[in-house]
Amino acid sequence: MSEPTTTDDLPLASLEPPRRSRASVVWIIPLLAAAVAIGIAVQRILTEGPTITLLFQTAAGVQAGKTVVKFKDVDIGHVTAVRLADRFSKVELTVKMDRSAAGLLVEDTRFWIVEPRVTLSGVSGLGTLISGNYIGLQPGNSTKEQRRFVGLDAAPAITDQPGRRFVLKASDLGSIGLGSPLYFRRLKVGEVVAYALAADGSGVDISVFVFTPYEQYVTPETRFWDASGIDVSLSAEGFDVRTQSLVSLLAGGVAFDVPSFVTATGPAGEGSVFTLFGSQTNALKQPDPVARRYVIYTDTLDGLQVGAPVKLLGIRAGEVAEIGLAVDPETRAFRPRLLITFFPERLVTQLTPGQQELGRALVNAGEDERIKLIRHQIEDLGLRVQLRTGNLLTGERYVALDYQPKAPKADMDWTRDPLELPVTPGGLADLESKASGILDQLHDILAKVEELPLEPIGRKLDSSLENLDRLLANADTETLPELNKTMAALRGAVVVAERVLEDTDESLLSRNSAAQQELSAALIEITRAARAVRVLSDYLERNPQALIRGKGKGNQ
Amino acid sequence: MDAPAEAGFCPRCGARLHRRHPDSIQRSWALGVAAAVCFVPANVLPVMVTDAFGSSKPDTILGGVVFLYGSGSWPLALIVLVASFMIPLGKLLSLGWLLIAIRRGIRGGERQRMRLHRIVRAVGPWSMLDVFVATFTVALVQLDPLMSVEPGLGVLFFAAVVVLTMLAADSLDPRLLWDRNEIEPCHV
């Protein structure tokens, strides 16, 4: 503090009293740092998303701090804690979501753990093999926010594709499973996304999802049927195999179409309910509005089944509705009873257009008219029922209605309902009766053969053989000498004939015989004539005009 | 109770003369405060973002310590904790203590305080260790698309903490530690 002054001529540094120190510029630095830090903190707080909890049955491959929540392959959150909950029966995940994803967290948002999944219709989630499992979500449509969710056990088959859902009611699930394809004209247009037992346990509700743009083809008139596996049907009409595709063969499948006899209205709404038919035939069968029922009593039910065709003159006009037995109240004997359903409209469609009006009028006529018509058919025209074999391979039979004018008169009760139709034996039963008839005849023949008098016949044969022996002995003693004589006479005759022949040789063929001379003269004449003819023909060839003009002088 | 900071002018050249570094205390305070402010985000924000197999994972320094300790290598955890957390914090606290001691004019323990100041200045550059580690890791681990490491904001703040503490320690005039002292300066 005290300055040592050795020399006076040294200039003294002028001292100033210390000023009140002003705030230095250097304070900008902490302010800047604080501003940046606060800015980052504020940004953090602003981007801080909600924290949610998810309940899962198991947390397969989920790790705290590592597993992420992905939506459309974008990370929108991560698991911060995994712990057991609900008295160790479930796993509770605490998930920190990004702020951007806050809008996805509504009531019906669904979460599931994505893990590699191999199904018949493809492999999904392969990316998780390297990145580990992640949590997928399907955004809901609700507006009510929610922070606690119960996760799904399996990924929903359809996540965010546009399309429409429909519900099919089936009696059982068959071989349909999640992801089973849905076909429209053999084109895959959707898949089965869920199934559940109906609330009353009476059947199964199958949810199918039809992708855009195919949902427009599902109309209220559409029929769905189970297209799983191979549809093999054996019936009186033969052997029929149908299948949609190899995938549906293995993984089951559903197909739909609009029957040809209805006109489709607009597309069906979301969640419309349809019946799932067992087969395409059933699904696309035309419902017959007018159905008449008749009873037939036969002698056997062999080869008949419910659904067997009823044909009128070969046109399918109905089917067997019931098969059963009836007891005769008097004799207590069982009789097979068939109930058939007859669809007269099918016959109308077979008529020529001009006659269809008439046919329709007949179909829609009253009960009395109908009875009258049938009575006319049966009593006057001889309409009869016959059971015929439709398929020799399987022995399936069908009900045939034909006119048989020679049939015996039927004993009809016109008051009964349903009406009983008269039956004439035929078809297989007929064949059997014929065969048994043949057997009976064979029996008769055998019986007759047995009655033949075989022993007397044998005795008679013996005596005739003895007679023959005697005859032959006679021939030896009497006939042979006579024959010898005849031979000698013949030899003489031959000698005479030889001599005659020699004479003719001499008279005709020796050189000096008259016949020879004449013959040679005749031959010479013939030679000359031939030469003259040749000269003439040569001349004519050169001068053909000679035939008309005669011989000229100049053409010699 | 201000530190003697009378200013004069050089008679030859007219430059300002200071007995002590001008504004030493203020600068030291300011830079120290800035370092302390930066220390918070340095520890809260991730230092590295590891992007492995499609999932990214941010790591803070303390998170790394916890991870190391949890995976059983506590010596490593200790090293990281000391080098990356304790030392910077220690430096900040020491600086604060020195500044407060100067301000209050606390008597006794000047030698220790002097030593503390020296240590703080000596340790300064070494605290950049984890910044180096982070930068090296980021530079080396770039195995796109399988794995990659990106620097987090935390590294920036961490580096800022180190630099600011060094500047703060440097701008503190150690002679101030001895001012207002009745004790005769030791002649070394």
Side-chain angles (χ1 to χ4, degrees):
Chain A
M1 309 233 178
S2 55
E3 297 280 346
T5 49
T6 47
T7 48
D8 289 333
D9 57 342
L10 266 177
L12 279 176
S14 60
L15 287 175
E16 289 177 11
R19 291 162 292 137
R20 266 313 307 147
S21 58
R22 325 163 261 103
S24 165
V25 181
V26 84
W27 283 102
I28 288 176
I29 293 172
L31 285 176
L32 210 66
V36 171
I38 286 165
I40 287 174
V42 166
Q43 191 206 344
R44 281 275 155 150
I45 288 161
L46 285 180
T47 56
E48 183 82 330
T51 302
I52 57 169
T53 49
L54 304 177
L55 278 176
F56 282 106
Q57 293 294 340
T58 60
V62 173
Q63 292 175 351
K66 191 176 171 196
T67 305
V68 292
V69 179
K70 282 190 182 181
F71 176 58
K72 288 185 187 275
D73 263 348
V74 177
D75 295 2
I76 54 168
H78 62 276
V79 177
T80 55
V82 180
R83 63 184 193 84
L84 291 170
D86 269 6
R87 303 189 60 196
F88 313 120
S89 65
K90 288 202 170 70
V91 180
E92 188 182 76
L93 309 181
T94 308
V95 181
K96 199 153 191 58
M97 300 293 288
D98 287 1
R99 192 183 173 78
S100 60
L104 294 171
L105 306 172
V106 292
E107 215 173 10
D108 51 351
T109 299
R110 302 194 290 167
F111 292 85
W112 66 94
I113 295 173
V114 178
E115 39 195 346
R117 202 163 62 120
V118 182
T119 60
L120 277 164
S121 44
V123 180
S124 64
L126 267 187
T128 60
L129 289 181
I130 25 179
S131 66
N133 292 355
Y134 60 90
I135 294 171
L137 78 84
Q138 182 178 357
N141 304 318
S142 161
T143 50
K144 211 173 137 199
E145 285 209 349
Q146 193 171 312
R147 290 286 175 268
R148 190 176 175 83
F149 299 92
V150 176
L152 302 176
D153 294 335
I158 312 287
T159 47
D160 49 0
Q161 280 178 281
R164 204 167 283 171
R165 247 169 202 273
F166 300 104
V167 179
L168 309 181
K169 289 200 166 294
S171 55
D172 63 39
L173 190 61
S175 56
I176 294 167
L178 283 181
S180 288
L182 181 68
Y183 294 102
F184 176 60
R185 305 193 188 287
R186 303 251 167 119
L187 199 74
K188 190 185 168 188
V189 297
E191 50 188 60
V192 173
V193 292
Y195 54 82
L197 203 61
D200 55 357
S202 62
V204 179
D205 292 354
I206 300 168
S207 290
V208 293
F209 189 88
V210 183
F211 306 131
T212 304
Y214 304 109
E215 78 263 34
Q216 58 179 313
Y217 301 114
V218 182
T219 66
E221 296 79 19
T222 299
R223 307 280 177 88
F224 287 81
W225 68 90
D226 184 348
S228 306
I230 309 182
D231 179 13
V232 180
S233 53
L234 261 173
S235 65
E237 301 192 311
F239 184 70
D240 192 16
V241 181
R242 285 203 185 95
T243 176
Q244 284 284 333
S245 81
L246 200 60
V247 172
S248 70
L249 200 70
L250 299 167
V254 178
F256 68 86
D257 204 343
V258 177
S260 50
F261 51 85
V262 296
T263 44
T265 53
E270 172 86 18
S272 303
V273 179
F274 295 92
T275 306
L276 183 67
F277 289 89
S279 70
Q280 183 174 0
T281 330
N282 288 345
L284 300 181
K285 198 154 60 174
Q286 180 154 9
D288 295 286
V290 181
R292 310 266 187 239
R293 316 203 91 186
Y294 299 104
V295 172
I296 299 167
Y297 290 103
T298 66
D299 43 6
T300 172
L301 290 173
D302 273 344
L304 277 167
Q305 54 179 358
V306 173
V310 173
K311 295 184 177 178
L312 181 103
L313 305 176
I315 289 167
R316 196 175 165 149
E319 56 188 31
V320 174
E322 278 177 32
I323 288 178
L325 289 174
V327 177
D328 194 311
E330 290 153 24
T331 61
R332 296 291 164 95
F334 288 108
R335 275 202 305 168
R337 174 178 178 274
L338 286 180
L339 187 68
I340 62 167
T341 326
F342 191 82
F343 304 115
E345 290 207 342
R346 291 196 192 177
L347 298 178
V348 174
T349 57
Q350 300 290 334
L351 294 172
T352 56
Q355 294 186 313
Q356 285 201 5
E357 280 306 311
L358 176 72
R360 242 182 273 283
L362 279 174
V363 167
N364 297 322
E367 192 69 6
D368 297 344
E369 283 292 318
R370 179 169 76 94
I371 297 285
K372 211 156 81 180
L373 178 70
I374 293 172
R375 196 162 183 165
H376 170 66
Q377 299 279 345
I378 289 175
E379 291 184 351
D380 307 339
L381 302 175
L383 187 73
R384 293 289 183 276
V385 174
Q386 215 176 25
L387 297 181
R388 292 203 189 135
T389 305
N391 191 328
L392 278 173
L393 194 73
T394 59
E396 298 282 349
R397 291 201 291 166
Y398 67 95
V399 179
L401 286 160
D402 284 305
Y403 293 118
Q404 297 176 7
K406 293 197 182 75
K409 195 174 180 313
D411 177 22
M412 297 287 296
D413 178 1
W414 296 105
T415 57
R416 290 184 52 179
D417 188 49
L419 206 61
E420 185 191 333
L421 296 179
V423 180
T424 54
L428 195 69
D430 208 25
L431 261 181
E432 276 172 6
S433 65
K434 271 183 189 156
S436 61
I438 289 168
L439 278 175
D440 289 348
Q441 282 176 3
L442 267 173
H443 263 296
D444 292 353
I445 290 166
L446 282 174
K448 278 178 182 149
V449 165
E450 272 174 11
E451 283 169 16
L452 280 176
L454 285 176
E455 280 187 25
I457 288 173
R459 279 200 295 277
K460 274 185 181 152
L461 260 177
D462 271 353
S463 62
S464 23
L465 283 173
E466 276 168 23
N467 286 346
L468 242 178
D469 269 350
R470 232 175 293 140
L471 246 174
L472 287 174
N474 279 354
D476 268 356
T477 51
E478 292 168 19
T479 330
L480 278 176
E482 288 291 319
L483 261 176
N484 281 345
K485 276 182 205 158
T486 318
M487 296 298 279
L490 253 177
R491 209 172 287 140
V494 169
V495 171
V496 170
E498 273 178 357
R499 212 178 308 136
V500 170
L501 277 174
E502 271 168 23
D503 284 356
T504 41
D505 269 359
E506 282 199 8
S507 61
L508 275 175
L509 304 173
S510 69
R511 178 153 308 183
N512 300 324
S513 69
Q516 276 283 359
Q517 296 238 340
E518 278 167 20
L519 245 177
S520 57
L523 279 172
I524 289 163
E525 284 299 319
I526 288 171
T527 317
R528 280 191 192 143
R531 196 179 300 141
V533 168
R534 192 186 318 136
V535 168
L536 172 67
S537 68
D538 279 353
Y539 179 80
L540 276 179
E541 216 164 276
R542 276 196 304 273
N543 311 307
Q545 72 276 18
L547 276 175
I548 304 160
R549 296 180 188 166
K551 260 184 169 184
K553 283 175 188 159
N555 21 6
Q556 284 285 339
Chain B
M1 299 244 192
D2 269 323
E6 312 93 288
F9 292 92
C10 169
R12 295 286 291 265
C13 65
R16 285 197 73 139
L17 301 176
H18 304 279
R19 283 200 157 184
R20 301 284 179 263
H21 292 306
D23 286 346
S24 164
I25 301 274
Q26 259 202 71
R27 268 187 209 180
S28 197
W29 265 120
L31 293 167
V33 166
V37 166
C38 290
F39 188 68
V40 176
N43 280 295
V44 172
L45 295 178
V47 175
M48 278 196 278
V49 180
T50 317
D51 205 340
F53 303 122
S55 64
S56 63
K57 186 170 173 282
D59 288 301
T60 61
I61 285 176
L62 286 178
V65 171
V66 171
F67 171 75
L68 285 171
Y69 180 76
S71 59
S73 49
W74 61 265
L76 263 178
L78 195 69
I79 290 172
V80 174
L81 182 71
V82 168
S84 315
F85 185 73
M86 303 294 247
I87 289 182
L89 191 65
K91 284 199 307 188
L92 286 173
L93 292 175
S94 316
L95 261 178
W97 166 238
L98 291 178
L99 289 165
I100 288 166
I102 290 167
R103 175 99 191 176
R104 290 273 166 91
I106 292 170
R107 307 229 173 116
E110 287 87 354
R111 279 167 178 268
Q112 284 85 343
R113 286 203 285 279
M114 190 69 212
R115 197 170 293 141
L116 189 62
H117 186 242
R118 285 211 186 101
I119 288 171
V120 167
R121 292 188 57 176
V123 165
W126 294 102
S127 323
M128 288 293 260
L129 203 67
D130 35 26
V131 178
F132 277 126
V133 170
T135 41
F136 270 120
T137 318
V138 168
L140 290 177
V141 187
Q142 289 295 346
L143 305 173
D144 267 339
L146 282 184
M147 189 176 174
S148 64
V149 177
E150 285 171 13
L153 264 178
V155 175
L156 203 68
F157 281 100
F158 202 91
V161 169
V162 174
V163 171
L164 288 171
T165 34
M166 278 168 71
L167 289 175
D170 280 351
S171 57
L172 181 64
D173 194 337
R175 283 172 300 186
L176 291 168
L177 294 167
W178 299 97
D179 290 339
R180 301 203 179 185
N181 209 320
E182 265 82 26
I183 298 170
E184 281 299 305
C186 53
H187 306 283
V188 182

